[in-house]
Every structure is written in C-alpha cells, then in structure tokens.
Amino acid sequence: MTDSVALVKQFDNMRAFMMKVMEENRQLKHRCEVFEASEKRFTETITKQSEAYEETIREAEFTIEELETKLSDKDKYEETIRVLQTKIASQHQEFHFAIVDKDKKIAELEKKVNRKAYEKKYKEQNKDKIKKQNKEYKEKNKEVIKSKGAEIVNCPCGKTHRYDNTRRHKMSAFHQKWLAGHSETQTSP
Ligand SMILES: [Zn+2]
C-alpha cells in the first residue's frame, strides 16, 4: 500500500516536472519566433532541440500512463522514471544553454521587432497628423530644403552629385560597379 502511494507520488512529481519543462519550452519557443526571419539558421537549431525533448516528454507521459495501470514492479518503475527524468533534464539543459548563449541577441531583436511594431501602429493611428506635420515642415523649411537639395555631394566612388539626386546616384551603374569592387576588397570580420 505504502509502496504504491510512494510510486504514485513519484509519477505526480514527474508530471509536474514535465509540465514545468513544457511551459519553459513554450516560452523559449515564443521568444525564438520573434526573430524567425532574421535568424533562420539559429531558429532551426532551436526548433530541432525543443522538438527532440518534447518528443522525450511525450514518450515519458506515455510510459507513465502505461506504468500507472500496473503498479506491481516498483523497482522497474523507479528505474524507468529515473532514466526519463535524466533524459528530459539534460535535453532541457542543452536547449536552455543554447538560448542563454543567444539571449543578448534575442533581447536586441525583440526590442527591434517591438519598436518596429510600435512605429507601424503609431503611423497607422496618426496618418493624418503625420501628413499634416510633414506638410507643415516642408512649408516651413522650403528654402532650407531647396538649398540643401542643391548642395554638391562628393561620393567616395569619385563622382559628385546634387544632394537631392543622392538616391538616383546610388542606383547608377557607375556607383554600383564601384560598390561591387569596393566590397570585394573589404574583408568582413
Ligand atoms: Zn557614388
């Protein structure tokens, strides 16, 4: 009687442990999703790792349910639970370390994503206000904008162009050719 009570308690502990791990996993995965596009390779690694130990957890749940229906061979159960728990713990640790390793980067990207979302929302909600402000700014700074546009810029490619032609110059064949040659000679870290 005492034995089976102890065993059931062990099962319960194991379940609580698995649920804790699953919840942590869910949160970590959510953090990874934030920068899926910018860090695809990293996300793939993380996804593989988290899927691997979620698979172990499912296996453990199945095993526990199986064992619970036949509470007779206590030693065997204890060993099985111990093995599963160790496996889950080590897989979880690997996953956790991978996240911690990239934590700073994740935080930076999260910030960036949040800022972008905020800016987008702000722009959508304040369309008229922004339009009016832009118009006012242009009106007020007409002369400055005009003279700024006429300023001559010395591009590092060797050409000169009017400030308000910057975009067009950057797209020009000459500048693009220079840029391609320039980036070839640069050694990236
Ligand atoms: Zn140029």
Side-chain angles (χ1 to χ4, degrees):
M1 181 62 192
T2 321
D3 272 2
S4 45
V5 168
L7 202 55
V8 167
K9 199 167 178 315
Q10 260 186 340
F11 287 141
D12 286 346
N13 287 343
M14 182 68 179
R15 278 216 183 82
F17 171 72
M18 289 191 299
M19 272 169 79
K20 188 177 148 258
V21 167
M22 286 291 263
E23 175 55 26
E24 274 178 46
N25 190 30
R26 199 186 59 73
Q27 283 176 11
L28 290 172
K29 258 176 148 173
H30 179 72
R31 294 194 69 192
C32 292
E33 276 163 20
V34 167
F35 64 109
E36 175 102 47
S38 54
E39 290 286 307
K40 203 160 192 323
R41 211 174 49 189
F42 168 62
T43 315
E44 273 166 15
T45 315
I46 290 295
T47 306
K48 255 184 228 160
Q49 275 177 333
S50 69
E51 273 167 8
Y53 87 82
E54 277 181 3
E55 180 62 37
T56 309
I57 287 173
R58 273 192 291 275
E59 198 186 300
E61 266 179 326
F62 183 73
T63 310
I64 284 174
E65 251 151 55
E66 277 264 301
L67 293 177
E68 254 187 339
T69 57
K70 30 188 175 167
L71 294 169
S72 56
D73 194 353
K74 186 174 172 282
D75 290 343
K76 196 183 129 208
Y77 299 155
E78 276 181 348
E79 176 62 14
T80 308
I81 288 176
R82 204 179 55 76
V83 168
L84 284 170
Q85 203 155 9
T86 308
K87 198 174 168 188
I88 290 171
S90 83
Q91 277 180 325
H92 177 64
Q93 206 172 32
E94 258 173 52
F95 181 56
H96 193 74
F97 283 157
I99 299 279
V100 167
D101 194 40
K102 302 275 179 189
D103 209 44
K104 212 173 142 192
K105 190 148 196 199
I106 294 176
E108 275 168 22
L109 286 159
E110 265 180 338
K111 231 173 168 176
K112 216 159 112 185
V113 168
N114 289 341
R115 198 177 57 225
K116 264 192 194 159
Y118 171 80
E119 279 169 8
K120 198 177 162 208
K121 204 174 151 200
Y122 180 84
K123 273 185 193 166
E124 271 165 16
Q125 285 173 348
N126 297 279
K127 240 180 217 165
D128 292 339
K129 190 179 153 193
I130 291 166
K131 214 170 153 182
K132 201 174 147 225
Q133 278 175 345
N134 284 346
K135 208 180 155 194
E136 276 171 9
Y137 176 84
K138 275 185 189 166
E139 205 65 40
K140 220 169 118 185
N141 298 282
K142 221 191 220 162
E143 291 310 310
V144 181
I145 291 166
K146 220 168 128 185
S147 65
K148 179 79 185 161
E151 259 176 37
I152 299 300
V153 177
N154 293 303
C155 186
C157 74
K159 293 259 181 188
T160 56
H161 59 84
R162 272 175 61 108
Y163 178 82
D164 55 11
N165 275 341
T166 301
R167 216 180 120 83
R168 201 167 68 189
H169 169 71
K170 292 249 154 72
M171 302 293 283
S172 71
F174 185 90
H175 184 88
Q176 286 295 318
K177 205 176 159 194
W178 168 80
L179 199 67
H182 191 67
S183 59
E184 265 168 34
T185 55
Q186 293 273 59
T187 45
S188 49

